[in-house]
Amino acid sequence: MSGDSPSAEGSEAGRDESLFSAPPMAEQERMVEAMLFASAEPLTAAELAARMPQGCDAAEAVQKLRRRYEGRGVRIVRVGDAWAIRTAPDLGWLMHREVVETRRLSRAAIETLAIIAYHQPVTRAEIEEIRGVALSRGTVDQLLELDWIRFGRRRMTPGRPVTFVVTQAFLDHFGLESARDLPGLQELRAAGLLESRPPAGAGAAPDEDADAQEAPPRGQSELFED
Amino acid sequence: MSGDSPSAEGSEAGRDESLFSAPPMAEQERMVEAMLFASAEPLTAAELAARMPQGCDAAEAVQKLRRRYEGRGVRIVRVGDAWAIRTAPDLGWLMHREVVETRRLSRAAIETLAIIAYHQPVTRAEIEEIRGVALSRGTVDQLLELDWIRFGRRRMTPGRPVTFVVTQAFLDHFGLESARDLPGLQELRAAGLLESRPPAGAGAAPDEDADAQEAPPRGQSELFED
Amino acid sequence: MAQGDESWEDGATETVAERRAAEALIVDVDGFEGPLDLLLTLSRTQKVDLRRVSVLQLAEQYLAFVERARSLRIELAADYLVMAAWLAFLKSRLLLPPDPEEDGPSGEELAAHLAFQLERLQAMRDAAARLMGRDRMGRDFFARGAPEAEGVSRRVSYSATLLDLMQAYARLRTRDEFRPYAFDRPDVYPMEQALERLRGLIGHGPDWTRLSAYLPEGWTDAPGRRRSATASTFAATLELARLGQVEIRQGETFAPIQIRRKPEA
């Protein structure tokens, strides 16, 4: 705003005050650095100053910080009348892999994957039986391509159907030591990932008690028994 | 150059090549700086290295960068086996605009989280024993959803119960380099309070092996391997 | 506290105060997370190192507490009563000389374990408080506010978490749990199938034909399968007769059953 003679007229009036209260410039630089880093939007000098203690010179601190970052991996750039931290343009190629577009797996794929993980080695027919619908080629292809499943050995039954198993890449992705570490049904239920079956006959709703933060009544714990 | 870095055997074959092609360390530092700045999530040395040219030593570059940022407004922090840039904690007051209001955790959830962190890997039954009250579904669910806990490997005891461990997101949130850095962990262990039963004899030093034969594996010992 | 407001009914002051105390007790019971929590609170009033807490005194306090609560006809959770019974047992163990005949842990050992449990719970509460008191991301320190993710190479990565996987599986399995009970037996020939088959065949046989001729292939050899197919086919002909599409006749008892398409009227 006021170029290289910051707040010239302001300092006239408040010189004494600011002399004593303003933090050293190195400290102001730290503040600006932290704010620019954490902010989702570019910040103007005025916005920076508004958050800093009285007597600070945000514009000056930005300039100092900008010089400090010259030649580094990131730079302080001007965006309109605001400031932001951006990676150096010559390093843009490093960011390319950053832009992986993540999509959620389709429900069919995740269910198929879950069945393979829990039942491996498992045949196509068995997967279809559990899901109750035919297994599309696209689903299998996708999971094969992701390297999350692979063909296992053939089942020694008529037709010698091929089986599917999960891969090491699958275990790595899901942070599992082995497929045997997948929680069982009881544990899923205990963790609240599974609606508990309504108790036969009784119309009571045990779930309501269980969600209360206090001790659930004893009866509830039986549902959780491993 | 490779020292203790990965790809030791790879460098056998391509030593000449990497000797000539690896960029200078200052340049590697810039690359790491750019990548860490660009990402909101911690990145492992392996992830950094995967994007850098062959022959680079990401771990070394991170160390150099870390030293460079000491005392600045942002710092390079270690989160498990990954690295991230975070603002200096003493400047938190500047960022009040960035604060995201988080759901208040119930007392049950906070205690359960602490027990998992300090006793991990820990089973549901052990958590219930320590708190003296059944663990409600909502509590586990909430912690799983926050991505602060996850299922660990199964305990090799009858029933093979699943265990809970804390996640990298937990470490990141609480500014911990590793679960070993939990406040007071050493004192608690020395006092025998991370065991499942009181130390044998009054005030005797808790000996590591005495009840190992039947007690669950000591918490906080085997979790660090991943 | 009790004075002032209660002036409207002089004699009732004490009763009201009493009732308030009693109600406070009820509230307290609700406020505790289980017997261990209650015991820990009680033990704090002893103001001693938890390792040296007087378990005997603690048991007295707990039992008195539970007794008072019960006298107010509070339905105490079973946990509290189980703990009360156990503490009464422990008390007797601590007061009586040890029985040399008896195996198992001594009263002192049980008491030591209880003291340990209390100390451990307290330690975890303290640890939890310290944990929550740490500098926390999003409150005291911050991650990158504007992560940069521009670039040219766009790669699609499909993501799924373990939670997704488990929930998917849970969804499938619960659906399974609710599947109506059904026979999955290979040797049962369903009537629906017989009906379907007869509908297709009946048009081609205007003359009287034995029922057995309509049995499906592969169902005539094994006696069990033949019986099932015969029963289903017969039931199907009854259904078609009811609909006015076929006629059925039988010469005498146990004679072959014959069917034909009902002649057009």
Side-chain angles (χ1 to χ4, degrees), chain A residues 36-40 85-87 95-96 98-105 107 110-111 113-115 118-119 130-131 142 148 170 173-174 182-183 185 188-189 193-194 197 213-214 218, chain C residues 30-34 78-79 142-178:
Chain A
L36 290 182
F37 172 82
S39 174
I85 301 182
R86 295 279 183 264
T87 52
M95 302 312 134
H96 287 179
E98 184 98 8
V99 264
V100 282
E101 191 180 314
T102 42
R103 284 189 206 155
R104 287 181 72 82
L105 272 185
R107 179 167 165 159
I110 191 92
E111 285 185 4
L113 184 62
I115 292 167
Y118 275 89
H119 291 264
I130 293 173
R131 288 196 62 228
Q142 186 184 23
W148 281 350
F170 166 87
H173 182 94
F174 291 96
L182 282 166
L185 274 193
L188 293 178
R189 183 171 283 128
L193 299 174
L194 208 62
R197 252 188 297 189
Q213 298 303 348
E214 291 82 27
R218 251 287 160 261
Chain C
D30 283 347
F32 289 116
E33 282 201 75
D79 292 3
F142 295 81
R144 185 77 166 114
E148 290 173 68
E150 83 260 29
V152 210
S153 63
R154 199 164 283 274
R155 187 166 60 93
V156 175
S157 129
Y158 287 92
S159 79
T161 66
L162 189 57
L163 202 59
D164 295 333
L165 192 72
M166 294 185 309
Q167 273 167 339
Y169 188 67
R171 201 163 55 223
L172 287 168
R173 300 314 299 199
T174 29
R175 190 185 62 195
D176 226 42
E177 280 173 18
F178 287 113

Side-chain angles (χ1 to χ4, degrees), chain A residues 68-91:
Chain A
R68 182 189 286 272
Y69 273 100
E70 263 165 24
R72 307 287 319 162
V74 296
R75 331 177 288 166
I76 312 295
V77 299
R78 190 171 194 126
V79 183
D81 60 349
W83 301 96
I85 301 182
R86 295 279 183 264
T87 52
D90 67 308
L91 295 177

Side-chain angles (χ1 to χ4, degrees), chain B residues 2-40:
Chain B
S2 43
D4 47 358
S5 77
S7 71
E9 73 288 340
S11 60
E12 290 297 322
R15 180 172 293 273
D16 301 333
E17 195 191 339
S18 54
L19 262 177
F20 291 105
S21 66
M25 184 46 74
E27 192 56 21
Q28 296 186 32
E29 216 186 297
R30 286 186 75 228
M31 295 179 190
V32 167
E33 187 177 31
M35 287 186 280
L36 291 181
F37 258 98
S39 172

Side-chain angles (χ1 to χ4, degrees), chain C residues 235-256:
Chain C
T237 61
L238 291 179
E239 175 65 13
L240 290 176
R242 191 180 68 80
L243 295 172
Q245 294 173 7
V246 300
E247 291 177 324
I248 309 177
R249 74 176 186 189
Q250 187 178 29
E252 53 181 326
T253 313
F254 299 122

Side-chain angles (χ1 to χ4, degrees), chain A residues 29 35 43 49 55 93 122-123 152 163 176 184 193-194 213 215 224:
Chain A
E29 221 186 294
M35 285 186 283
L43 295 171
W93 56 275
V122 63
T123 66
T163 61
L176 294 166
L193 299 174
L194 208 62
Q213 298 303 348
F224 296 145

